Every structure is written in structure tokens, then in C-alpha cells.
Amino acid sequence: MASKKPDKEMIHIHVMGKTYEVPAGLTIMDAMEYAGYRFTRGAGCRSGFCGACSTVYRHEGDYRLQFALACQETAQDGMYLVQLPFTPAPRAEYDIEKINPKENVLLQYYPEIARCVSCNTCTKACPQDIQVMDYIQAALRGDIAKTAELSFDCIQCGLCSMRCPADIKHYHMAQMARRIYGRYMSPVPQHLEDRLQEIAEGKFDAELDRLVSMSRKELEEAYAARVREEAPAESEKSE
Amino acid sequence: MKELEKLTYFPGCTLKDTARDFEISGMAVMEALGYVLEELERWNCCGTVFSLTDDDLMHQVAPVRDLLRAQEAGSEEIITLCSMCYGTLKRTSHFVNGNQERLDKLNAFMDKEIDYEGKVSVHHLLEVLRDRIGWEKIEERMTNPLEGLNVAPFYGCTLLRPQEIAIDDTDAPSVLQDLTTALWATPVDYPYAVECCGAYQVVDHREVIVERTHRILSAARRAGADVVIASCPLCHHNLRDTQKELIRTIPDYEEMPIIYFTQLMALAYGVEAGKIPTSLKAKIKHLQTVKGEG
């Protein structure tokens, strides 16, 4: 007879007024699913990248509201949970090719950034630990490069904009800043330009045509006989 | 070469945008005088307009954060060039420094930050020029004296009002005139040096600004001014922008060049001055040629 396994440690979570017992160590999302909830919205990649599962919670006895991605934060005993549906936020329409990337372009498309009073609520809400207020302030003074740099890790979960008392749409504005930076300000990699030029001039057309016209057998032989990069010497291998 | 002395510098948004010439010329003249304006690594908009409500601390959060940034940078002071930022930050420092109740409330709100201790003081660049460097040294460093140039100072409001933050006598200030004299130019006396330009009325009541600009610049012209110097980007904008309307609508209206005081210094120092109106450049060239021939 196999001995009975010790009980897995269980915790209590509160979801919309009801208390559930769930195993310790689950993410908020898994814990809620364990409790019987099914996510049709507010769930995506489950890996912390897509920004779909922004969530708010509170610890018992703490007045502060906390913010996280439900697929990343571990559920803890006594948490009050609720999953947020998608909240719509207006996004400016523009043609990146026709924009004039001067200092006040962000203010022009997102004039509400001028309502920022530096309360920093956006930064506190960010599950990516981005200095959100600082990039809004950089945008306000026309520093597009800094806005793009500071907001680089944004996954567009929208918690900043849900919390902002000035109704700023931080993440959409920052995306515009990064697009402008990419289109007009970041240095152009010359090797990429050169290669694109070679492709346009047909440098690789003959080679591609040859590959396309080969039989499966010929392709297999060519693959087996390909020139391989030399394996790095033992001493150069990373540990 | 002697190492430059560092000043903790708060630029403000406008100096990064429409008033670039102010910053460019300010940096250049301070370097010529042996100082470097070291910009705070992090800063936010000062709030622009000082909140007059006693009990609403929310609107002090922005300027207090800037004071905190200076504290974080290990500095006990902030230097500004923009008069508006000076006014807001200085009034805020008076409002919170030494008032423990307000500091406690603001620090409690600004959690996730270190506490602002209430020790950072705010100074305008004109104070640094007058009180730390001195007119003598400023004169000494000059390479292109502006002899014969008549300069009308325009103080605007926020350097001088309210009285407790004034950098000079509220009614009869002299710092801009003294600077002018140090550069061998001639300050002109006219009645509107401490007048309000009309400030944000420009948004809803543009005609108010046009009328004021006309009055201010005409008086400066009658007093013989070749140029008006300012220290506030909003005064600069209002005077310069609405003057375009005067040029368009009044026959024979002669344009009055309006520049920042740091640009006047840069001209006298032969360093980067930013954009200078063509008519002023021509005037200075003419004066210097006449002097050369005389």
C-alpha cells in the first residue's frame, strides 16, 4: 500500500465576493481557473508578453490596490481578485509616412498628455516597472527619443490608462513615439540598406531560381553537402 | 584648463521645445564664464502655473517632485533660466520647505519615492550672474562690446511677483539694466519694463495681447530701443508672435527684435547665440563698423 501523500498546501482567495480554496503556487490566472472561472477575454499568451491579462488585486488588510499581469503574479493567501475585461482607449489615426516628426507632434495627436499633474499613478500601476510618468513628461517636452526609450518594454496592457486621473492614453501615445523614432530618428543600418539594394537588383535571383527548380533528391544532396560554419573551439564555448 | 563649476539645472519643457535659443545661449555663456549647467537626470513639468489653493496639495506634487530630484542628485538648489519655472518652483519651495505638515502629506502621497526633506532652494540664472559671478567678471569676459546698442529690459511678472519671491525690487528692478551696462550697451528707460505681457490670455483673448504688445513695443521704440530682452518664454512668445500682426496691419510699423538676455550676452561674448533677428545682427554689425572707423 502506497503511503498517502501529504496534502498540498492550500490557500484561500476571494473572487468577486466568494472565497475559494486553491493550491498554493498558482498564478492568479491559474488560481481563478482552478476555482472554476473560464477566461474568454482578458487572457492571451499566458507568458507575460501579450498584455491581455492586466489585473488588479488587494491583500487583506492593505488599503492599496495592486496591479499585475494575472499570468505572472503568484496568488497568495487572502488575495481579493477580479479579472479585468478589455477597456477601450481611443487611438490617434495617422499615416507614419506623412507625419511631420517635429517636437510637438505627440502633443498634437494626444493633446491630453498636457493634463499630466505628475501624480505618478501610472508608474505605480505598471506591471513592467516602466517609468510611465517620466515618459509622459518627456513626450510633453518633445523628447521623442526619450519617450521611445523609456517606454520600450511596454506590452500595451493599459493599466496606466485605466488608472490615470487625467485620462491620458499612455500606451498608445508611447507606441506612436516608438514608431516615429523608428521611422525618422533611429540610425539606418547600412548593411541592411546594402542588402536590400542587392536583392532589388536581382543579385540572388539566379540562386533562388536554381533552388526552386531542383528535385527533392537534388535538394537533399545539396543540403547534406552544404558548407557549414565551423563549430567554435572548446575554449570559446560559453559556459 | 580649469574645471567648470557645476550648477544643478532645471530646463523646463519650453526650453526643450520652442525656446531652444534660450538654452543654447544660456549654456554657451555660462561655459564662457566657467560654469556648466548640469541638467537634472529626471525631471517633470514644473506645473507652469503655481496653484493658489492652500489646501489642495495635489497641484504641488509636480513642482515638489522636481525639488526632490535635485535632492536625489545631491544638490541643495535648482537653477532655472525660464522665469515661469522659476516662479512656480520658487513659490512651491516657499510653500512646503519648513512646513512639516505639508511635507508629510505630500511625502505620504508620493510613496515609492524617498521623502523630500524641504531643503532645496530655487534660483534664477540672473541671480547667479549678479550675486555669484558679478558684473565685473561678466564685463571682463566680453569679446564684442555692444557699445551704442540701446536695450529695453522686459521683466514680465514671474521674476518679480509676488514680492516674497522677487529676485529684485518689485517696482524698480535693475538686474537686466545692470547686465546691459556690463556688456557696454545702454539700457533704455520706458514705462512698461515690469508690465504683464498678458500671459495666457493669448489663448482666448488674443486681442488683449496684441494691444499690450503694441503699447509695450511702441514705448520701447519711442525710448530709442534697438532690441527688447526677456527672460520668460511666454513673454517672448507673446511679444514676438503678436508683433507679426502689428507688422501686417500697421503701415510703416518697424519690427522690434525680441531676444533672451542670454542671447544678448552670447552676442557680446562671441559664442553660440541661437537665432538672432537679421535686423539686430545688421544693427550690431553697423555699430561695430562705425566704431572701427571712428
Side-chain angles (χ1 to χ4, degrees), chain B residues 85-148:
Chain B
C85 296
Y86 167 77
T88 306
L89 293 173
K90 183 84 171 182
R91 291 175 84 174
T92 302
S93 72
H94 279 218
F95 189 71
V96 301
N97 288 3
N99 186 318
Q100 204 52 48
E101 194 189 329
R102 284 173 188 159
L103 283 175
D104 286 346
K105 253 190 185 170
L106 282 158
N107 282 327
F109 179 80
M110 297 191 301
D111 51 359
K112 298 205 173 176
E113 298 258 29
I114 57 166
D115 281 357
Y116 173 56
E117 291 163 11
K119 288 182 185 150
V120 174
S121 62
V122 181
H123 300 286
H124 191 267
L125 187 71
L126 282 167
E127 294 177 281
V128 176
L129 293 173
R130 178 189 62 197
D131 305 334
R132 294 188 211 173
I133 300 173
W135 304 130
E136 220 166 277
K137 198 177 165 207
I138 287 165
E139 184 178 353
E140 218 171 84
R141 173 59 188 78
M142 180 168 56
T143 52
N144 312 324
L146 301 173
E147 231 171 330

Side-chain angles (χ1 to χ4, degrees), chain A residues 11-237:
Chain A
I11 58 167
H12 292 91
I13 57 169
H14 315 287
V15 184
M16 288 184 260
K18 281 174 93 173
T19 303
Y20 301 89
E21 197 181 56
V22 301
L26 299 180
T27 64
I28 289 176
M29 182 174 277
D30 289 343
M32 285 176 72
E33 285 177 333
Y34 184 94
Y37 288 87
R38 185 167 152 249
F39 296 112
T40 52
R41 295 302 307 263
C45 74
R46 294 172 181 261
S47 304
F49 287 108
C50 80
C53 64
S54 45
T55 195
V56 298
Y57 62 90
R58 235 166 39 76
H59 290 293
E60 218 162 331
D62 188 349
Y63 69 89
R64 288 183 186 84
L65 199 58
Q66 311 280 348
F67 311 89
L69 297 175
C71 76
Q72 295 296 296
E73 189 73 19
T74 308
Q76 285 164 36
D77 195 43
M79 263 188 182
Y80 286 83
L81 302 172
V82 62
Q83 191 59 351
L84 297 171
F86 168 74
T87 54
R91 188 169 50 195
E93 278 190 28
Y94 52 87
D95 180 342
I96 195 74
E97 297 299 329
K98 289 181 187 152
I99 269 175
N100 179 2
K102 58 185 193 299
E103 283 95 349
N104 66 357
V105 64
L106 296 171
L107 197 54
Q108 189 188 326
Y109 282 89
Y110 290 96
E112 63 275 14
I113 60 174
R115 288 158 51 99
C116 177
V117 292
S118 300
C119 72
N120 211 29
T121 309
C122 50
T123 307
K124 290 184 202 166
C126 181
Q128 292 288 90
D129 286 339
I130 292 169
Q131 293 292 344
V132 186
M133 178 187 78
D134 284 12
Y135 83 58
I136 291 296
Q137 288 293 327
L140 206 48
R141 54 185 184 252
D143 194 340
I144 295 167
K146 184 118 187 169
T147 308
E149 185 198 326
L150 287 176
S151 70
F152 190 79
D153 287 334
C154 176
I155 53 172
Q156 317 276 111
C157 76
L159 276 167
C160 48
S161 304
M162 282 182 232
R163 291 287 286 164
C164 179
D167 277 321
I168 293 168
K169 302 299 167 255
H170 316 65
Y171 60 117
H172 286 328
M173 190 284 298
Q175 187 176 54
M176 184 179 187
R178 294 194 298 278
R179 283 176 174 159
I180 294 172
Y181 183 79
R183 172 63 184 81
Y184 294 103
M185 300 165 81
S186 66
V188 177
Q190 195 51 48
H191 61 279
L192 180 60
E193 294 290 297
D194 292 348
R195 179 53 52 89
L196 288 171
Q197 179 73 18
E198 285 174 356
I199 292 169
E201 285 167 359
K203 185 177 175 182
F204 303 101
D205 288 359
E207 179 74 8
L208 269 173
D209 288 345
R210 195 173 68 81
L211 286 170
V212 168
S213 66
M214 281 160 97
S215 70
R216 183 185 175 96
K217 188 157 176 285
E218 284 170 323
L219 268 176
E220 282 172 358
E221 280 166 11
Y223 181 75
R226 73 192 185 279
V227 180
R228 301 174 74 157
E229 260 182 57
E230 272 181 52
E234 280 302 308
S235 59
E236 287 173 26
K237 274 188 183 166

Side-chain angles (χ1 to χ4, degrees), chain B:
Chain B
M1 202 180 133
K2 208 181 131 212
E3 206 172 307
L4 300 173
E5 194 175 324
K6 284 176 191 164
L7 295 170
T8 307
Y9 165 54
F10 176 84
C13 306
T14 314
L15 268 73
K16 295 292 179 191
D17 191 349
T18 49
R20 294 237 33 133
D21 294 338
F22 198 0
E23 180 173 68
I24 289 166
S25 54
M27 293 230 168
V29 297
M30 289 312 283
E31 197 184 318
L33 287 164
Y35 290 82
V36 60
L37 295 172
E38 197 168 68
E39 182 176 328
L40 285 172
E41 204 178 305
R42 286 177 71 192
W43 54 273
N44 48 258
C45 168
C46 68
T48 322
V49 180
F50 179 75
S51 168
L52 289 171
T53 50
D54 256 5
D55 50 357
D56 174 16
L57 294 180
M58 191 62 225
H59 289 96
Q60 310 296 345
V61 170
V64 166
R65 262 188 222 285
D66 287 322
L67 302 177
L68 177 59
R69 298 291 173 244
Q71 179 188 310
E72 280 174 341
S75 176
E76 292 208 335
E77 67 169 9
I78 280 184
I79 307 294
T80 71
L81 270 66
C82 169
S83 302
M84 289 285 277
C85 296
Y86 167 77
T88 306
L89 293 173
K90 183 84 171 182
R91 291 175 84 174
T92 302
S93 72
H94 279 218
F95 189 71
V96 301
N97 288 3
N99 186 318
Q100 204 52 48
E101 194 189 329
R102 284 173 188 159
L103 283 175
D104 286 346
K105 253 190 185 170
L106 282 158
N107 282 327
F109 179 80
M110 297 191 301
D111 51 359
K112 298 205 173 176
E113 298 258 29
I114 57 166
D115 281 357
Y116 173 56
E117 291 163 11
K119 288 182 185 150
V120 174
S121 62
V122 181
H123 300 286
H124 191 267
L125 187 71
L126 282 167
E127 294 177 281
V128 176
L129 293 173
R130 178 189 62 197
D131 305 334
R132 294 188 211 173
I133 300 173
W135 304 130
E136 220 166 277
K137 198 177 165 207
I138 287 165
E139 184 178 353
E140 218 171 84
R141 173 59 188 78
M142 180 168 56
T143 52
N144 312 324
L146 301 173
E147 231 171 330
L149 189 72
N150 294 319
V151 179
F154 189 75
Y155 286 88
C157 300
T158 53
L159 284 179
L160 303 172
R161 292 184 281 270
Q163 195 153 34
E164 64 266 22
I165 65 141
I167 67 163
D168 204 341
D169 189 289
T170 312
D171 296 318
S174 65
V175 60
L176 284 174
Q177 287 91 322
D178 294 342
L179 175 67
T180 303
T181 309
L183 305 173
W184 292 17
T186 311
V188 304
D189 193 18
Y190 73 119
Y192 300 120
V194 298
E195 187 79 354
C196 170
C197 71
Y200 287 109
Q201 295 287 349
V202 73
V203 181
D204 294 326
H205 301 286
R206 196 181 161 77
E207 68 284 358
V208 174
I209 316 295
V210 176
E211 191 268 329
R212 271 174 183 256
T213 298
H214 192 198
R215 190 164 10 125
I216 293 163
L217 296 183
S218 304
R221 173 71 66 201
R222 278 196 301 277
D226 300 311
V227 58
V228 170
I229 55 170
S231 160
C232 171
L234 184 54
C235 298
H236 183 275
H237 168 84
N238 278 353
L239 290 174
R240 201 178 59 164
D241 206 51
T242 53
Q243 185 176 220
K244 287 180 195 153
E245 224 152 300
L246 302 177
I247 295 167
R248 215 175 45 239
T249 53
I250 302 173
D252 301 326
Y253 181 89
E254 200 186 335
E255 184 176 0
M256 173 66 75
I258 298 142
I259 63 172
Y260 293 105
F261 69 91
T262 48
Q263 292 183 286
L264 188 74
M265 291 180 75
L267 288 170
Y269 282 21
V271 296
E272 177 69 57
K275 279 190 281 304
I276 300 290
T278 325
S279 61
L280 180 61
K281 270 195 261 187
K283 175 81 191 175
I284 292 173
K285 199 173 170 194
H286 173 71
L287 285 171
Q288 285 168 348
T289 317
V290 171
K291 199 179 75 184
E293 283 165 359

